[in-house]
């Protein structure tokens, strides 16, 4: 489940599947085709579920600060999965930007922003076609990248991941952001994670 757990953090930033080694996601297409060097500053995370959630991110270390895209991300983490998790896995992302002292929820535009994804398992299959090997470093450490995810604890030692150049919408401007990702199945919450960061480009 670490593949999905760490993907929570990356997908909360909506930088995967590219960050996982899959094809570039269409949600990252900038219509003006202008490219920017992106920096994520002061990245922080926390679990936002309760003790009954079967999936908990126990640790997650992300470096450097700032995270530069394109660039090299150094990642390590541990995820505990208290039960076997299978399709469908619904993901609800809430993306907010700080305007002065107020946090404003951003809408879902072209599958970017505060969006609901009906099945993360399908997204993983689209990014990494079934029958192909999981990308590194998941393959080396035996971490699954497809549903179902078996009960257990999964750990990724410190590993380097190359983040490709991406294109972001012009409305995703510099500022402070917070993102909440809630994963559920059949109406039951499985995991909740929040990340905060400042975007500079």
């Amino acid at each position: 489940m670490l593949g999905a757990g760490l993907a929570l953090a990356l997908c909360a930033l909506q930088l995967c599947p590219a960050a996982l080694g899959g094809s570039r996601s269409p949600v990252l297409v900038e219509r003006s085709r202008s490219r920017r060097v992106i920096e994520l500053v002061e990245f922080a995370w926390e679990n936002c579920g309760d003790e009954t959630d079967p999936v908990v991110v126990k640790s997650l270390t992300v470096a450097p600060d700032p995270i530069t895209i394109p660039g090299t991300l150094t990642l390590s983490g541990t995820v505990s999965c208290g039960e076997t998790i299978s399709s469908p896995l619904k993901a609800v992302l809430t993306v907010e930007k700080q305007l002065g002292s107020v946090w404003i929820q951003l809408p879902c535009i072209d599958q970017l922003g505060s969006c609901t994804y009906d099945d993360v398992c399908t997204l993983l299959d689209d990014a990494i076609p079934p029958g192909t090997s999981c990308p590194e470093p998941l393959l080396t450490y035996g971490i699954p990248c497809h549903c179902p995810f078996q009960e257990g604890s999964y750990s990724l030692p410190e590993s380097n991941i190359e983040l490709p150049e991406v294109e972001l919408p012009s409305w995703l401007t510099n500022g402070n952001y917070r993102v909440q990702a809630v994963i559920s199945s059949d109406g039951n919450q499985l995991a909740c994670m929040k990340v905060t960061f400042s975007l500079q480009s």
Side-chain angles (χ1 to χ4, degrees):
M1 189 62 191
L2 183 61
L6 296 181
L8 261 180
L10 294 172
C11 287
L13 302 178
Q14 294 184 308
L15 297 176
C16 85
L20 291 175
S23 59
R24 179 174 295 173
S25 171
V27 302
L28 298 175
V29 173
E30 165 59 44
R31 300 196 192 288
S32 68
R33 299 187 182 279
S34 62
R35 294 179 182 273
R36 297 179 287 175
V37 174
I38 303 162
E39 290 188 338
L40 301 182
V41 183
E42 297 181 351
F43 178 89
W45 69 277
E46 64 177 311
N47 290 299
C48 49
D50 56 38
E51 295 180 355
T52 63
D53 284 358
V55 180
V56 178
V57 179
K58 296 293 188 180
S59 66
L60 179 63
T61 301
V62 178
D65 186 5
I67 300 167
T68 301
I69 305 169
T72 301
L73 175 72
T74 301
L75 185 70
S76 64
T78 302
V79 171
S80 174
C81 183
E83 62 184 57
T84 297
I85 305 300
S86 58
S87 181
L89 296 181
K90 182 179 180 179
V92 178
L93 295 188
T94 303
V95 182
E96 298 175 300
K97 182 180 180 181
Q98 187 175 23
L99 296 177
S101 60
V102 179
W103 288 90
I104 304 297
Q105 181 171 320
L106 301 181
C108 182
I109 300 175
D110 293 334
Q111 295 300 301
L112 182 65
S114 300
C115 301
T116 296
Y117 304 95
D118 290 327
D119 194 1
V120 175
C121 296
T122 300
L123 296 179
L124 290 172
D125 287 346
D126 290 343
I128 310 165
T132 60
S133 298
C134 292
E136 294 294 351
L138 303 183
L139 180 62
T140 294
Y141 297 105
I143 298 170
C145 57
H146 294 285
C147 300
F149 298 98
Q150 301 300 320
E151 178 180 354
S153 181
Y154 298 93
S155 294
L156 177 70
E158 187 173 286
S159 303
N160 291 332
I161 298 174
E162 295 302 319
L163 298 178
E165 186 175 43
V166 298
E167 301 173 60
L168 295 178
S170 57
W171 54 266
L172 198 59
T173 56
N174 291 355
N176 298 325
Y177 291 83
R178 62 187 185 191
V179 182
Q180 177 175 283
V182 177
I183 303 294
S184 63
S185 180
D186 296 327
N188 298 315
Q189 181 170 303
L190 302 176
C192 180
M193 186 176 185
K194 288 182 180 178
V195 298
T196 59
F197 58 91
S198 293
L199 175 66
Q200 299 178 4
S201 64

